[in-house]
Amino acid sequence: MNQENTILLVEDNPKDVFLVQRALRKAQVTSPLQVVNDGDAAVQYLSGEAPYSDRTAYPLPVFVLLDLKLPRRSGAEVLRWIRQQPHLRRLPVVVLTSSREYADVNGVYDLGANAYIVKPPDFDEFVEILKTLNLHWIRYNEKPQIDSL
Amino acid sequence: MLLSPPQIQFRRRLTRAIALPIVLLLLLSGVSIWQITRLLSALRWVDHTNEVISQANLSQKLLLDMETGLRGYLLTGEQNFLEPYEQANLQIDSSLEQLKSLVSDNLPQVQRVAELERQAQQWEQQAVPAISRQRGASEPLISLERRKQSMDQMRQQIASFIATEEQLRNQRSRIAQQTTRSVIFTSLFLAVGVGGVLAYFLRRQILRVSDTYETALQTAQVKTEEAQQSAAALQQYKDIFQFAEHGLVVGASDSRTLTLMNPAFARMHGYTVAELEKTPILNLFPPDRHTEAIEFVQQVNERGYYAFESLHCRKDGNVFPVFLGGTAVRDADGNLLYRIVSVHDITENKQAKLALQRSAQRLAALHDIDRAILASETDETLIGNALNQLRQIVPHQQAFVALFDLQAGVAQMIAGNSQSGELSHPIGTQLMIADFAPEQSLLSGIRSVENLTETDNYPPVLMQLRANGFCSCLCVPLLVESVLIGELNLAAIEPAAFNNEAQDIAREVAAQLAIALQQSRLRKQLQTYATQLEQRVADRTAQLAETNQELEAFTYSVSHDLRAPLRTIQGFAKALLEDCGEHLDEFCRSYIDSIIDDTNQMNGLISDLLAYSRLTRAQIRLQPTALDTVITEALSQLTAQITERQAQIRVVSPLPQVIAHRSTLIQVIANLISNAIKFVAPNISPQIDIFTTDERQDEQDSIRLWIADNGIGIASEHQERVFRVFERLHGAESYPGTGIGLAIVRKGLERMGGQVGVESQLGHGSRFWVALPSAVLPQNKHTYDPTSPNSSD
């Protein structure tokens, strides 16, 4: 597996997780997917705290797919935390959410989101989106330097 | 001594007038003397020549005598005949010598004389032998002839000599005559010339002198007139002094008594002029003004002019105010000659000034009271300030204000001040209104009691004043629009302390005070209302904000939470279809398809609801928007639908600009076009016309955008209903939809200040319109659009 291109999915709904995994498969994205189910877990993962202290098993992702509505710590809070970490602040974060409310969109851009994608009701469309994300962030995009702690 | 130029000129003129004739006469005399000398000289030459001629004649006669005597002797031999010869012989030499000296200046004549002398000697030599011969002895003829020859030569010689001299004499006489003539002519000519020059010169001088004399005469005349005028002016000055209604007094520099004054001055002081003469000046001043009077005189002396106000005494002893203006008059060397003092009786001025001062003071005081009232915050300070100011214009020892509550019949002491520090009724004391006065007299206006000790029939408040030692008082009602709200009370220890003026002022202050108190009450009331209102608005706003927040949270949840399961339902349904579709029957697959359809339908519904609610809440900013691009954008959103239904859409471009919110307008128009495509009878391809018309309503230009279709139309009774939320006219089978599209259209136009409507007939298509304000300014028809072709050129 290509550990360098790990994608971190922060999503609490297991069904959505399943659909993301399925869509990635259908989109023929080969990058490994790491999943955490709440905001705190996302912070732990990214900061390398237990139980994610093993960077081989849990490498720093090439980008984060972040849902906004999360238990414990919301997606917006996770994003703000990431942007406050000196070694993580350049990490690309793609917000993936059901909400299209203007306040949300502007708010997360203000916090430093790199993209904002509304989960489409149509699965096939979702597959297309993941293909695009793969092409954009993994294939073509020049990655920033993310320092490991 | 220096002379003035005219004097110098006059002297020069005089000198010339004397000197010129003298010089001319001297010249004339000189010339005359010279001429006479010349004449005398000429005459002398004539005489001289005559003398020469007579001398020559004498010599000739001598020669003749000699010859005659000799001849007689020779003839007779008688001695006495020889006598003439001897006498002539003695004289001839000297005679010839004399002749020679006379013509010494004429050389030819001298030679002639010399020749003559030689011949005479020769002749004599011949004569001597003849004489010595003895008488009777005859003489040889030859010697006789020789003698005769010699005598003839001498005679000829003398004759030619005389002829020459005569010629000379004639010539000289002629010269003398000519000289005489020239002397006469020259003298005549000179006399005439000098006479003419002198006549001309004298005439000129005389004319000049006469001019000068005339000028002097005129000057003298003018001076006389001036003297007359100044005499008249002097009389005028005297009259001014005598008749002026203005006290004037003149004092000698060293005098301390009145010497010269006009009648007005004496009259002013109640005296006659005679009575005041020799009176010491200081007698006119009251004793306490003597110092300043002396000071005044010194100031006048020092400054030249000095004025000041003082007091003077009349004959009857009365003192009156005067204005003194003193002027020191000095001669050219600065020595003080005398002082002039003008004296005005300024009694009236003083009174007018005092009245004016009092009036100004009163105005200022009232103004101060007004200011104090305006500056005060509470009723107590307001009244307190007003009373403090009032004390400065109306003297009194105590003042207070009581406010009445007419309904309860009670009065309360609100504020006051007292010279003794204690009020007759302390502040805060509650009294009955009836204690102030019987009710009917309370309203009747200002009440002044001149002497509280006159009777015992006073209401309790006044009795209390009397008990506190006050003798007079003034009770002024405080009235607001004829409603009694209180009373202002002024009290004084002395009787009748409040005159009419004091009452007027008190009335004015009371009126102001009443208005201020009323205003203060109204202001308080208004403040209370405003505070209440503000509170209520704040409460409502908070409530609204809360509700709004709740609503937002609700819609957020709807969008998130209702959609999430819907998406997974669809996702799993599709997964089911893809992963297990092969194992399912056709009808089972159709079940899954309908699940997917319904999730799509549900998703559309949620989207529309969210759009509607967002439109309700979102802040939108209106700006000029080009309808052309809005239509293009809306059509591009509908591409799939248009292609599917093969709709023909004609847009009459260019379309104008309107004032709108761009994305909302796109949504509105997309909804309308979508409906126009959708609600068409089956098998008919949709035909849609989009165009605008101009409108003017309520003084504003607006644009009406029409979307006309060939659809199924709407019955007139349903035309209003279609714009309501969830209102649908058709079943989902024939025309599926959420029933929110037109509600969104109407809401969107409401938010943009526009309108929407429809003209339709069942079966004959519909014409939906939206009206929005035009972005073109009515005055100049320029658009706001900076990208328009005109502005980009």
Side-chain angles (χ1 to χ4, degrees):
Chain A
M1 274 282 179
N2 185 359
Q3 289 288 321
E4 291 207 351
N5 291 336
T6 300
I7 299 167
L8 177 63
L9 174 66
V10 188
E11 172 63 69
D12 63 323
N13 187 342
K15 290 172 190 167
D16 270 328
V17 173
F18 170 77
L19 287 173
V20 169
Q21 285 168 333
R22 188 166 184 277
L24 282 173
R25 256 201 323 278
K26 291 209 72 170
Q28 297 175 328
V29 176
T30 55
S31 306
L33 183 75
Q34 291 284 350
V35 180
V36 288
N37 299 119
D38 59 62
D40 280 356
V43 169
Q44 282 166 349
Y45 183 102
L46 289 171
S47 57
E49 288 172 27
Y52 305 105
S53 47
D54 181 3
R55 273 279 178 254
T56 330
Y58 306 106
L60 274 179
V62 68
F63 71 90
V64 180
L65 275 174
L66 181 65
D67 189 17
L68 287 181
K69 211 161 185 221
L70 294 169
R72 298 195 188 177
R73 198 189 285 225
S74 76
E77 284 172 293
V78 173
L79 178 56
R80 188 180 295 119
W81 177 86
I82 289 172
R83 291 297 177 236
Q84 284 166 355
Q85 307 311 304
H87 63 293
L88 291 173
R89 61 171 196 272
R90 300 193 197 104
L91 181 63
V93 175
V94 175
V95 170
L96 187 67
T97 178
S98 316
S99 172
R100 181 180 258 152
E101 291 300 303
Y102 288 123
D104 283 352
V105 180
N106 295 336
V108 295
Y109 273 117
D110 290 345
L111 289 174
N114 297 83
Y116 189 105
I117 290 162
V118 178
K119 289 175 188 168
D122 187 66
F123 182 75
D124 296 337
E125 215 176 305
F126 191 45
V127 172
E128 288 300 313
I129 288 170
L130 286 176
K131 272 184 189 169
T132 312
L133 284 176
N134 180 48
L135 284 175
H136 183 102
W137 290 110
I138 297 175
R139 175 95 54 98
Y140 297 125
N141 190 46
E142 200 62 45
K143 282 105 194 144
Q145 189 178 350
I146 311 287
D147 305 321
S148 297
L149 279 176
Chain B
M1 199 176 86
L2 287 173
L3 291 174
S4 60
Q7 271 176 310
I8 295 171
Q9 206 182 5
F10 179 74
R11 290 201 172 208
R12 241 182 237 164
R13 199 165 288 165
L14 197 68
T15 314
R16 266 183 271 168
I18 295 167
L20 190 70
I22 289 173
V23 169
L24 285 175
L25 286 175
L26 281 175
L27 191 68
L28 189 62
S29 310
V31 172
S32 298
I33 288 165
W34 173 68
Q35 296 276 41
I36 288 165
T37 314
R38 253 179 74 207
L39 187 61
L40 285 177
S41 156
L43 288 176
R44 216 169 20 246
W45 277 112
V46 174
D47 285 349
H48 176 72
T49 313
N50 281 334
E51 199 182 341
V52 170
I53 291 168
S54 68
Q55 188 68 36
N57 281 334
L58 181 66
S59 300
Q60 193 177 19
K61 186 200 156 236
L62 287 176
L63 285 176
L64 217 57
D65 283 351
M66 280 167 74
E67 195 193 13
T68 316
L70 185 55
R71 209 180 277 165
Y73 179 71
L74 286 179
L75 282 174
T76 64
E78 295 267 339
Q79 195 67 39
N80 60 344
F81 277 90
L82 197 54
E83 203 177 337
Y85 164 77
E86 283 172 341
Q87 276 180 354
N89 201 20
L90 284 175
Q91 283 175 3
I92 191 75
D93 282 344
S94 66
S95 175
L96 282 177
E97 203 55 43
Q98 200 176 352
L99 189 63
K100 202 161 108 186
S101 76
L102 277 174
V103 292
S104 59
D105 60 319
N106 195 339
L107 200 59
Q109 295 291 77
V110 171
Q111 281 173 350
R112 261 189 197 126
V113 174
E115 182 67 22
L116 201 62
E117 271 177 340
R118 195 185 47 86
Q119 285 171 343
Q121 277 172 359
Q122 204 178 353
W123 185 81
E124 209 177 336
Q125 281 168 356
Q126 290 168 350
V128 174
I131 297 167
S132 46
R133 239 176 268 154
Q134 292 296 329
R135 267 181 234 167
S138 71
E139 201 182 7
L141 196 60
I142 190 123
S143 62
L144 233 145
E145 272 181 1
R146 240 190 356 238
R147 255 195 343 261
K148 192 193 178 286
Q149 209 174 359
S150 184
M151 188 51 76
D152 286 349
Q153 272 177 351
M154 276 195 302
R155 277 185 193 157
Q156 199 179 344
Q157 196 78 3
I158 283 180
S160 78
F161 181 91
I162 289 171
T164 304
E165 279 302 313
E166 274 177 350
Q167 204 180 347
L168 205 61
R169 191 192 60 195
N170 289 346
Q171 193 183 345
R172 283 179 177 160
S173 319
R174 230 178 8 254
I175 287 171
Q177 275 171 1
Q178 274 175 358
T179 308
T180 310
R181 261 202 308 276
S182 95
V183 166
I184 289 166
F185 280 126
T186 314
S187 298
L188 213 67
F189 176 75
L190 271 176
V192 168
V194 168
V197 168
L198 277 177
Y200 171 74
F201 182 75
L202 284 176
R203 188 174 174 276
R204 247 181 66 180
Q205 293 299 334
I206 286 165
L207 278 178
R208 283 192 187 172
V209 168
S210 103
D211 275 356
T212 315
Y213 176 75
E214 246 172 67
T215 314
L217 207 64
Q218 273 173 0
T219 314
Q221 261 177 353
V222 168
K223 286 209 168 148
T224 315
E225 276 167 28
E226 275 174 2
Q228 280 170 352
Q229 278 172 359
S230 64
L234 195 64
Q235 186 55 44
Q236 270 181 350
Y237 287 130
K238 277 183 185 165
D239 290 349
I240 289 169
F241 187 74
Q242 282 298 317
F243 301 118
E245 276 304 324
H246 199 97
L248 287 171
V249 58
V250 181
S253 63
D254 53 350
S255 173
R256 300 241 170 239
T257 56
L258 294 165
T259 46
L260 180 60
M261 78 214 78
N262 66 351
F265 178 82
R267 212 162 39 239
M268 189 186 292
H269 292 82
Y271 293 95
T272 64
V273 172
E275 278 174 327
L276 272 182
E277 266 168 6
K278 307 288 178 213
T279 309
I281 293 166
L282 285 180
N283 280 13
L284 292 178
F285 288 89
D288 59 331
R289 298 292 175 135
H290 284 186
T291 325
E292 70 177 37
I294 293 162
E295 170 78 2
F296 167 67
V297 173
Q298 280 170 357
Q299 290 286 354
V300 172
N301 289 351
E302 281 171 23
R303 301 186 185 194
Y305 176 79
Y306 187 68
F308 91 123
E309 277 183 22
S310 186
L311 295 175
H312 269 193
C313 304
R314 281 204 185 84
K315 190 180 182 183
D316 57 13
N318 280 339
V319 171
F320 64 103
V322 286
F323 178 80
L324 302 175
T327 309
V329 181
R330 296 174 187 278
D331 64 11
D333 299 333
N335 299 318
L336 183 65
L337 298 175
Y338 45 82
R339 282 179 297 270
I340 303 170
V341 179
S342 74
V343 185
H344 301 244
D345 180 347
I346 52 169
T347 311
E348 282 178 18
N349 290 14
K350 278 269 173 194
Q351 279 168 354
K353 210 161 157 185
L354 269 176
L356 204 68
Q357 261 176 0
R358 228 182 1 257
S359 162
Q361 220 172 12
R362 189 169 135 188
L363 259 174
L366 285 171
H367 180 66
D368 283 347
I369 290 173
D370 282 354
R371 261 219 308 252
I373 285 172
L374 283 174
S376 307
E377 283 175 353
T378 65
D379 287 356
E380 288 76 16
T381 58
L382 188 155
I383 297 167
N385 287 339
L387 291 183
N388 282 340
Q389 297 287 342
L390 182 60
R391 169 156 290 181
Q392 296 177 17
I393 26 174
V394 177
H396 57 268
Q397 280 74 45
Q398 179 187 281
F400 65 78
V401 167
L403 291 184
F404 297 165
D405 182 346
L406 289 180
Q407 281 173 337
V410 295
Q412 189 169 17
M413 305 296 288
I414 296 293
N417 60 43
S418 169
Q419 219 167 40
S420 64
E422 243 175 75
L423 288 167
S424 54
H425 296 279
I427 286 163
T429 312
Q430 285 261 356
L431 293 160
M432 301 309 289
I433 293 178
D435 293 346
F436 284 82
E439 203 168 331
Q440 63 273 18
S441 65
L442 270 175
L443 271 168
S444 61
I446 195 162
R447 284 164 290 129
S448 174
V449 181
E450 297 202 339
N451 197 337
L452 282 166
T453 55
E454 272 180 353
T455 65
D456 292 335
N457 190 16
Y458 292 116
V461 170
L462 300 193
M463 290 306 280
Q464 181 65 35
L465 286 175
R466 189 167 87 171
N468 284 37
F470 295 108
C471 197
S472 58
C473 75
L474 201 60
C475 309
V476 196
L478 302 180
L479 296 168
V480 174
E481 290 170 350
S482 312
V483 177
L484 186 68
I485 64 160
E487 187 178 278
L488 164 69
N489 188 298
L490 303 179
I493 294 164
E494 62 270 24
F498 304 103
N499 58 13
N500 283 339
E501 193 187 353
Q503 291 186 19
D504 282 347
I505 294 170
R507 223 192 318 261
E508 281 169 38
V509 171
Q512 290 289 51
L513 212 47
I515 291 168
L517 286 170
Q518 178 69 3
Q519 270 186 342
S520 155
R521 277 183 196 177
L522 289 174
R523 197 167 52 221
K524 271 184 215 149
Q525 224 169 29
L526 212 63
Q527 264 173 358
T528 316
Y529 289 152
T531 316
Q532 282 173 357
L533 209 64
E534 269 172 31
Q535 185 57 42
R536 207 173 294 170
V537 168
D539 290 350
R540 291 278 160 84
T541 310
Q543 275 173 11
L544 271 174
E546 206 178 322
T547 315
N548 215 11
Q549 249 173 352
E550 275 172 19
L551 203 66
E552 270 178 44
F554 173 72
T555 48
Y556 188 79
S557 298
V558 166
S559 76
H560 238 86
D561 300 350
L562 287 187
R563 266 182 160 178
L566 203 58
R567 206 174 47 244
T568 48
I569 290 168
Q570 204 211 44
F572 279 98
K574 280 205 168 164
L576 186 62
L577 203 59
E578 282 173 20
D579 295 353
C580 317
E582 297 160 14
H583 311 294
L584 294 175
D585 290 329
E586 182 64 28
F587 66 91
C588 290
R589 283 207 293 274
S590 76
Y591 295 162
I592 298 172
D593 282 340
S594 61
I595 291 172
I596 292 171
D597 280 352
D598 279 5
T599 56
N600 283 337
Q601 163 82 12
M602 180 80 169
N603 197 61
L605 186 62
I606 291 170
S607 290
D608 281 358
L609 268 178
L610 280 174
Y612 185 76
S613 104
R614 203 159 44 228
L615 211 50
T616 314
R617 290 175 291 118
Q619 295 275 338
I620 58 172
R621 206 165 72 86
L622 301 180
Q623 53 193 10
T625 308
L627 277 178
D628 282 317
T629 62
V630 167
I631 302 280
T632 310
E633 176 66 29
L635 289 175
S636 84
Q637 283 184 9
L638 299 168
T639 312
Q641 199 185 356
I642 292 165
T643 316
E644 187 194 338
R645 294 297 307 267
Q646 295 185 319
Q648 292 186 5
I649 298 169
R650 285 190 298 273
V651 181
V652 182
S653 59
L655 297 169
Q657 292 205 357
V658 293
I659 304 290
H661 181 243
R662 185 178 156 81
S663 60
T664 305
L665 188 58
I666 290 169
Q667 192 176 13
V668 161
I669 288 169
N671 282 7
L672 288 174
I673 296 173
S674 173
N675 278 359
I677 296 170
K678 191 162 75 177
F679 293 100
V680 173
N683 305 320
I684 291 180
S685 79
Q687 306 270 335
I688 299 167
D689 286 309
I690 298 175
F691 57 95
T692 56
T693 53
D694 288 341
E695 251 181 43
R696 187 168 175 80
Q697 97 188 91
D698 301 337
E699 305 256 314
Q700 197 186 14
D701 284 328
S702 68
I703 304 292
R704 193 174 275 220
L705 176 73
W706 295 87
I707 294 161
D709 62 41
N710 58 341
I712 53 177
I714 305 164
S716 58
E717 66 266 29
H718 297 140
Q719 282 175 7
E720 190 50 37
R721 279 178 56 197
V722 293
F723 293 105
R724 295 186 203 150
V725 188
F726 299 127
E727 284 289 350
R728 288 175 54 78
L729 299 179
H730 308 280
E733 300 80 33
S734 46
Y735 298 106
T738 59
I740 302 174
L742 284 178
I744 288 175
V745 168
R746 183 153 76 173
K747 179 59 77 181
L749 282 160
E750 261 175 35
R751 294 301 308 276
M752 293 188 291
Q755 283 178 313
V756 63
V758 64
E759 291 175 3
S760 183
Q761 262 189 310
L762 203 57
H764 289 88
S766 306
R767 284 150 54 97
F768 279 88
W769 56 263
V770 296
L772 285 163
S774 168
V776 178
L777 293 172
Q779 290 90 346
N780 49 20
K781 294 284 177 193
H782 282 160
T783 64
Y784 294 130
D785 185 7
T787 63
S788 75
N790 289 337
S791 58
S792 65
D793 275 351

